[in-house]
Amino acid sequence: MKRLVLPSTLWLCLVALFMVGHSAQAQTLPDFTVLVEEAAPGVVNISTTRTVQRSSSPSIQGFGGQDIPEIFRHFFGDSFPAPPSGGQGRSQERQSLGSGFIISEDGYVMTNAHVVQDADEILVRLNDRRELPAELIGSDVQTDVALLKIDASDLPVLTLGDSDELKVGEWVAAIGSPFGFDHSVTAGIVSAINRTLPRDAYVPFIQTDVAINPGNSGGPLFNLEGEVVGINSQIFTRSGGFMGLSFAIPINVAMDVASQLREDGQVNRGWLGVMIQPVSRDLAESFGMSEAIGALIADLDPEGPAAQGGLQAGDVILEVNGEEVDRSSTLPRLIGRVAPGSDVELTLMRDGEQVTETIELGSWPDAQGVEQASSSNNQMRLGVAVAEVDEATRERLNITGGVEVRQVEPDSVAAQAGLRPGDILVSLDHRSVASADELMRIVEALPTDRAIPLRLYRDGRSLFVALRLE
């Protein structure tokens, strides 16, 4: 094999070109030094203290306080029983650390609700090392936003940006106090937007690869212009430390919450009174839809605004006031940001046709609200054995008919759809199942060329599944 030998001068030229290109690439990387110099004074450290009552129940000698082995923390958490102390319980002060930032010259500070939850004392440490006690104006657990007030004036205020303008791939930076190290700076890019997390239905999170660790919670997320675009709130981790995924609350969402907390001390959200579930492709076909979008109403609160306004189980909500409901997780956010007592115009898919309904929203109750359900004879055609539903179960579920699944044949249509013994079937192909005989009549007439919607109750909750008959 021949080898190409280049003159030394040509090698030098190639090396020079590589160095120039490498230098040009390096110059395109963002420089955060100016951002940090200007923004750091507006970032604060937050420490809280709360007093907890230690149990006086017997415990394993030698385990107490912060020395609990990890295997015991797995079962008992931080409330592992303390050793006996004269037969009496004793109190203990616990401290937590977080971050925050100043939004007004007269001392209003934003942070996470979980940073100050159950705190007896909140202390804010400024960039100039002053430590000031803070008053909790209000907190909202649903969005994890809290508003504090310190007694100070002429404070450095951070500039707020527009989180709706963020784009995936954009550079962002965080300043906070991870593990108590004040004003630590980390940077990365936006890796996703409008991310929905379990148990956080009201926040379209900003997902980034910015390194966030315990102590960063409540701190600001900046764009390259030095504007706050989010509040760092959560990380995804299997180890307790940063693993490449962090989540921030969009500043537009946070400021709307902060305004309500400042004015009323609490947040009022619109409430529709429905239980929803995602629309799968099979369910979309069964409802006569060309694509799997929207939020499927699986059940309604009989006294809620949706039921009173004429919505029905099986309706698929496609739009709220003209805004598309691209997935079920979008609906709670769209409804929650509308003031109670306001009318919303809903575009629905009902019985294969689009209809419009106007509903007056109620106030979001603490223990209810929009929930999400997971989607997960001729009875022989389905592969199930059923029995009548007893009167007590009907009263508990507020239904007038229905049949209970007693047995599901392996590899049957019912098994493929995910039916289980104990499920209560209440409608099939939009027809009420009043009895076992009625179920047989409905099944006889079912087509085999499309998916069929089946509504059922499982563990007290209503949901839809799609059947496809062979």
Side-chain angles (χ1 to χ4, degrees):
M1 180 181 293
K2 293 183 179 180
R3 298 180 61 185
L4 179 63
V5 180
L6 297 177
S8 59
T9 53
L10 184 56
W11 275 114
L12 290 175
C13 290
L14 291 174
V15 170
L17 286 173
F18 172 78
M19 295 299 294
V20 170
H22 183 73
S23 175
Q25 182 182 16
Q27 289 175 4
T28 63
L29 295 176
D31 183 354
F32 295 100
T33 55
V34 175
L35 182 158
V36 173
E37 288 174 2
E38 295 179 351
V43 182
V44 301
N45 172 274
I46 296 175
S47 60
T48 66
T49 304
R50 66 186 179 101
T51 303
V52 296
Q53 195 69 23
R54 294 285 299 272
S55 169
S56 60
S57 58
S59 64
I60 301 175
Q61 295 294 327
F63 294 155
Q66 300 302 310
D67 297 323
I68 303 171
E70 215 40 55
I71 189 171
F72 291 103
R73 286 186 186 278
H74 177 73
F75 293 101
F76 297 99
D78 289 330
S79 57
F80 193 90
S85 179
Q88 299 293 325
R90 60 179 181 176
S91 62
Q92 178 192 35
E93 285 191 349
R94 289 189 177 171
Q95 296 183 330
S96 65
L97 292 173
S99 304
F101 56 97
I102 302 168
I103 61 172
S104 71
E105 293 183 351
D106 59 347
Y108 282 96
V109 175
M110 295 273 285
T111 187
N112 284 148
H114 76 260
V115 170
V116 296
Q117 186 174 13
D118 300 326
D120 296 318
E121 181 182 11
I122 304 171
L123 200 63
V124 172
R125 184 165 66 242
L126 305 180
N127 188 51
D128 60 12
R129 299 304 174 185
R130 280 185 293 169
E131 294 187 347
L132 303 173
E135 173 192 0
L136 177 61
I137 301 300
S139 65
D140 179 51
V141 176
Q142 299 297 327
T143 55
D144 197 22
V145 172
L147 182 66
L148 310 178
K149 179 69 168 65
I150 56 177
D151 186 9
S153 59
D154 298 325
L155 294 171
V157 178
L158 296 184
T159 302
L160 304 182
D162 184 355
S163 52
D164 291 339
E165 297 296 321
L166 272 180
K167 291 181 171 55
V168 176
E170 184 173 340
W171 282 95
V172 284
I175 304 178
S177 303
F179 304 108
F181 294 106
D182 289 0
H183 293 85
S184 297
V185 182
T186 51
I189 64 168
V190 175
S191 53
I193 56 176
N194 295 324
R195 185 69 81 199
T196 299
L197 302 180
R199 300 182 299 277
D200 290 291
Y202 291 96
V203 181
F205 282 99
I206 304 165
Q207 178 184 307
T208 76
D209 66 355
V210 178
I212 300 297
N213 284 290
N216 275 113
S217 292
L221 182 73
F222 297 94
N223 60 18
L224 282 180
E225 283 70 43
E227 301 168 332
V228 179
V229 291
I231 304 178
N232 298 308
S233 175
Q234 300 185 39
I235 60 173
F236 176 85
T237 179
R238 299 186 189 279
S239 64
F242 175 69
M243 293 185 66
L245 290 176
S246 55
F247 301 91
I249 304 160
I251 194 62
N252 293 5
V253 173
M255 289 308 299
D256 177 64
V257 171
S259 297
Q260 293 191 56
L261 293 175
R262 188 169 181 174
E263 294 174 7
D264 305 322
Q266 62 181 8
V267 178
N268 295 310
R269 293 185 176 84
W271 177 58
L272 195 55
V274 296
M275 179 183 291
I276 60 174
Q277 71 178 79
V279 178
S280 65
R281 266 191 288 183
D282 282 346
L283 281 173
E285 180 185 339
S286 73
F287 290 124
M289 299 166 55
S290 59
E291 52 184 333
I293 60 173
L296 172 59
I297 299 179
D299 203 1
L300 302 91
D301 185 322
E303 304 301 323
Q308 299 298 316
L311 298 193
Q312 307 168 11
D315 287 345
V316 180
I317 302 177
L318 303 175
E319 294 181 359
V320 177
N321 288 337
E323 292 192 58
E324 182 185 10
V325 181
D326 57 342
R327 62 190 67 184
S328 61
S329 58
T330 304
L331 181 65
R333 298 200 294 265
L334 296 180
I335 295 297
R337 73 188 190 192
V338 180
S342 302
D343 288 342
V344 292
E345 184 178 88
L346 304 178
T347 301
L348 313 168
M349 179 65 73
R350 176 183 294 166
D351 297 331
E353 296 182 358
Q354 281 197 15
V355 297
T356 300
E357 297 280 2
T358 299
I359 305 294
E360 181 180 339
L361 298 182
S363 295
W364 192 86
D366 291 339
Q368 300 177 42
V370 180
E371 300 179 12
Q372 295 199 42
S374 52
S375 67
S376 54
N377 68 29
N378 236 343
Q379 286 136 273
M380 290 304 296
R381 193 179 183 197
L382 292 182
V384 295
V386 299
E388 304 291 337
V389 178
D390 60 78
E391 191 62 33
T393 301
R394 290 179 177 177
E395 290 181 1
R396 176 171 57 85
L397 298 178
N398 194 28
I399 58 177
T400 56
V403 293
E404 180 180 352
V405 176
R406 292 293 178 87
Q407 185 177 353
V408 179
E409 291 294 326
D411 301 322
S412 65
V413 170
Q416 293 172 8
L419 295 191
R420 310 172 187 170
D423 288 345
I424 308 296
L425 312 184
V426 293
S427 75
L428 181 60
D429 200 21
H430 309 291
R431 297 171 60 184
S432 296
V433 178
S435 63
D437 290 339
E438 180 66 19
L439 176 65
M440 292 176 64
R441 286 192 290 269
I442 296 174
V443 171
E444 282 181 1
L446 290 180
T448 58
D449 59 346
R450 64 179 176 89
I452 309 298
L454 168 65
R455 185 186 177 206
L456 58 88
Y457 278 86
R458 177 177 295 161
D459 298 327
R461 303 180 67 185
S462 170
L463 70 151
F464 282 83
V465 298
L467 293 174
R468 187 179 293 274
L469 298 179
E470 298 176 354

